[in-house]
Amino acid sequence: MAKEIRTIGVMTSGGDAPGMNAAIRAVARACAYYNVNCIGFYRGFQGMIEGDHCVLNARSVRNIISRGGTILKSARSEEFRTKEGRRKAAKQLDKLEVDAMVLIGGDGTFRGGQIFSKEHEVPVIGVPGTIDNDILGTNYTIGYDTALNTVIEAIDKIRDTASSHDRLFFVEVMGRDAGFIALNTGVGAGAEEILIPEEDLGLDRLLESLKRSKRSGKSSSIVVVSEGDKIGKNVYELAEYVIENMPNYDVRVTVLGHMQRGGSPSCFDRTLASRLCVKAVELLLDGKKNVMVGLINNKIAATSFDEGLSGDHEINKELLRISDILST
């Protein structure tokens, strides 16, 4: 028989993502609705180890749905990777009488939660919060939509400058292991080329594409580069290669960096966070554990950690085909 859940803990871990505050709010208010206590842990797993916490209720999370970042802070904990660290975290949960946890983060957060749950029999539900959208078991992760809109807005402004000065801009976006941001914003912003980790375009093909653009009459170009692209060591090396081989191009590099993680979350991300986290609380109260909640075909679905962590969310190759057609 499943243990009665009287107190649920919540934390955010890994890279911050717009919509995490909306997720925290949803957990706290769902707990209030179902007459369950809610405790928030600061700085992810490290806060669990140290017992660094606050009591959350319906009123303490007011007015945070529109804020970027996370009021609970976020961090990566090397100590939690050890058995002793996880043992300390379990003792803190016992001390605070926390019966179950909602973990908001990416695959590293879910792996930590999976191990912790198996070792200490604490029910855990994962909520995907990462701008990279690289988690199996959901079509969209919290923060991804906002990041796309942030990048699109930036590229649109860069396009104005590129057109005014007949320049080629390499725009690097986040995505060390996945090219979802680069691919979707590249298509949405009308980029001439999109470079992502999943597809090795090659330097020769990149040059040929840029030369083709020149021949077609284009005086400026945008190349969107995922930070994990494998063609060169980094975006600056790519730019240098083009300068050496196409000296008539005036080449510039813009690295958007951490601005992609910030800002007020979009309506989509606020709604997604709310839907996923209410379901996470309800699953715990129904005795479920060791699953992540996600959005699949616009319906909330639960996927086991084993299945969700077993592979990669595949890139949409149809978008690559569309990009090739539209960049003509």
Side-chain angles (χ1 to χ4, degrees):
M1 183 175 177
K3 179 182 177 182
E4 182 181 0
I5 304 296
R6 294 190 176 91
T7 301
I8 292 176
V10 59
M11 50 159 270
T12 51
S13 178
D16 62 302
M20 280 186 164
N21 279 326
I24 294 166
R25 172 184 180 269
V27 172
R29 292 199 169 180
C31 284
Y33 180 85
Y34 287 109
N35 267 336
V36 175
N37 300 317
C38 185
I39 287 180
F41 287 94
Y42 292 109
R43 296 173 294 113
F45 291 125
Q46 193 60 38
M48 283 177 59
I49 291 171
E50 298 171 7
D52 188 8
H53 73 283
C54 63
V55 175
L56 298 174
N57 56 48
R59 299 285 71 81
S60 67
V61 294
R62 68 186 183 277
N63 299 330
I64 69 169
I65 193 170
S66 61
R67 290 169 55 184
T70 162
I71 63 168
L72 292 179
K73 312 297 182 183
S74 187
R76 291 178 173 85
S77 174
E78 288 300 319
E79 189 175 4
F80 193 81
R81 295 176 184 270
T82 68
K83 280 193 173 183
E84 179 57 29
R86 294 191 292 273
R87 192 176 298 114
K88 289 179 182 178
K91 287 180 179 178
Q92 291 292 351
L93 295 192
D94 287 341
K95 180 180 177 182
L96 295 168
E97 298 183 339
V98 174
D99 303 303
M101 289 292 302
V102 175
L103 310 180
I104 304 165
D107 56 356
T109 301
F110 295 169
R111 291 183 195 280
Q114 181 184 39
I115 295 170
F116 180 73
S117 182
K118 287 179 178 179
E119 288 179 349
H120 300 283
E121 299 184 352
V122 176
V124 167
I125 302 290
V127 177
T130 168
I131 68 168
D132 290 334
N133 202 48
D134 58 349
I135 294 179
L136 202 64
T138 187
N139 296 139
Y140 302 100
T141 57
I142 297 168
Y144 175 58
D145 184 70
T146 305
L148 291 182
N149 289 315
T150 297
V151 172
I152 281 287
E153 183 178 358
I155 294 177
D156 285 347
K157 293 177 179 178
I158 291 168
R159 174 77 74 179
D160 292 341
T161 294
S163 299
S164 297
H165 295 277
D166 293 342
R167 284 174 177 163
L168 163 63
F169 269 87
F170 283 94
V171 182
E172 185 187 87
V173 300
M174 282 188 164
R176 186 178 64 249
D177 301 310
F180 294 100
I181 293 176
L183 179 56
N184 282 271
T185 58
V187 171
E192 279 65 41
E193 278 298 344
I194 303 168
L195 307 182
I196 57 176
E198 294 86 348
E199 296 287 323
D200 188 351
L201 181 66
L203 289 169
D204 291 339
R205 186 185 155 185
L206 173 62
L207 284 180
E208 180 53 40
S209 174
L210 293 174
K211 289 175 182 177
R212 188 168 61 248
S213 293
K214 273 282 193 184
R215 290 193 297 268
S216 71
K218 291 183 179 180
S219 59
S220 64
S221 292
I222 299 288
V223 178
V224 179
V225 185
S226 177
E227 64 180 322
D229 175 64
K230 305 297 193 298
I231 294 180
K233 292 180 181 177
N234 54 56
V235 68
Y236 295 100
E237 185 181 83
L238 282 175
E240 285 297 325
Y241 184 81
V242 171
I243 291 169
E244 290 172 7
N245 288 274
M246 298 182 69
N248 291 331
Y249 251 131
D250 186 6
V251 181
R252 295 289 187 275
V253 172
T254 296
V255 177
L256 297 184
H258 286 77
M259 68 176 290
Q260 296 160 84
R261 286 186 181 173
S264 181
S266 65
C267 178
F268 182 88
D269 277 329
R270 299 182 199 192
T271 303
L272 178 63
S274 300
R275 292 178 69 185
L276 295 183
C277 286
V278 167
K279 187 63 175 179
V281 170
E282 291 174 341
L283 286 172
L284 287 173
L285 296 179
D286 287 341
K288 303 296 191 299
K289 60 181 180 179
N290 292 337
V291 299
M292 59 159 281
V293 288
L295 187 71
I296 300 178
N297 297 326
N298 204 33
K299 293 183 178 179
I300 305 300
T303 303
S304 71
F305 281 147
D306 286 336
E307 182 180 348
L309 296 171
S310 64
D312 297 320
H313 187 167
E314 292 185 0
I315 206 80
N316 185 350
K317 294 195 175 183
E318 174 67 6
L319 279 181
L320 287 171
R321 188 181 73 84
I322 290 171
S323 175
D324 285 340
I325 293 172
L326 297 181
S327 64
T328 302

